Amino acid sequence: MSTISVISSIIKLALGISLFLYGMDGMGDGLKKVAGNKLESYLYKLTNTPIKGILLGAAVTAIIQSSSATSVMVVGFVNAGMMKVVQGIGIIMGANIGTSITGWILSLNFIGAEGVSTIIGSTTIAAVFALAGVLLNKLGKKNALRSLGNIMLGFAVLMVGMSLMKDAMEPFGESQGFRNMISSLSNPF
């Protein structure tokens, strides 16, 4: 690998991380605006049965791309008394399912260049969410619709960031020197 391609990959990786974090931030702001002071009642309505809790956990994890973040939020909500432990268990179970959904969405790009993967790959999903987000944000008459648009835009930016990070790391996977360096790392704990 040449020095220029290493620098290019590092810049792509930094851009991908930046977009990923910006997308997460945009989604979080949109969620706060949509939920407002009614978050506790929304949480109850969305988790009053185990199936609803599992579906919510899967959806949130698929959107924010982190089952750990979902679990931490749930622990915080339970600790604050905003939801019961039983409700939290369903969400955490769903978070594990959501992690699988995220991996499945991203792996659609590797199935092949033809057929279903080109229609429902991560790039297409990001484009649909971006378009819907822009339309809701610019044409929505209510603040809730504009905030929902921000959530969708944040998701699209997050997906683009993940795609950039994947593309940036691909050349390193082919480098034997990089593989040797990674395999030589040891865990001090």
Side-chain angles (χ1 to χ4, degrees):
M1 244 173 106
S2 71
T3 306
I4 292 176
S5 65
V6 169
I7 291 171
S8 174
S9 291
I10 291 172
I11 290 171
K12 255 190 199 177
L13 180 64
L15 177 61
I17 291 170
S18 300
L19 288 174
F20 179 83
L21 293 173
Y22 182 78
M24 280 184 58
D25 191 46
M27 286 176 40
D29 290 345
L31 285 168
K32 287 176 193 171
K33 289 178 182 173
V34 167
N37 295 330
K38 300 177 182 179
L39 183 59
E40 190 172 347
S41 66
Y42 285 149
L43 285 173
Y44 178 76
K45 288 177 186 175
L46 292 171
T47 61
N48 60 0
T49 67
I51 298 295
K52 283 183 180 179
I54 290 170
L55 292 173
L56 177 66
V60 168
T61 301
I63 290 170
I64 67 171
Q65 310 295 311
S66 173
S67 61
S68 300
T70 303
S71 299
V72 167
M73 286 190 293
V74 168
V75 169
F77 291 151
V78 169
N79 194 31
M82 295 175 72
M83 77 171 43
K84 296 177 182 171
V85 174
V86 174
Q87 294 167 300
I89 290 170
I91 294 174
I92 290 173
M93 286 175 64
N96 293 322
I97 295 168
T99 298
S100 301
I101 292 169
T102 300
W104 180 78
I105 289 171
L106 290 175
S107 71
L108 288 174
N109 289 336
F110 297 107
I111 293 173
E114 301 176 34
V116 175
S117 66
T118 58
I119 297 170
I120 59 171
S122 59
T123 305
T124 305
I125 292 170
V128 168
F129 271 81
L131 178 63
V134 167
L135 291 174
L136 284 173
N137 188 286
K138 298 301 177 191
L139 302 176
K141 297 193 188 278
K142 295 182 179 181
N143 284 337
L145 284 177
R146 287 194 291 272
S147 295
L148 181 60
N150 286 340
I151 294 168
M152 296 177 94
L153 279 169
F155 177 74
V157 170
L158 185 142
M159 291 293 286
V160 169
M162 286 181 58
S163 181
L164 277 172
M165 288 187 281
K166 177 188 71 73
D167 292 345
M169 293 306 292
E170 252 176 36
F172 291 110
E174 298 166 4
S175 167
Q176 188 61 40
F178 183 76
R179 282 193 229 158
N180 292 340
M181 182 187 74
I182 293 297
S183 63
S184 70
L185 295 175
S186 61
N187 186 349
F189 299 105

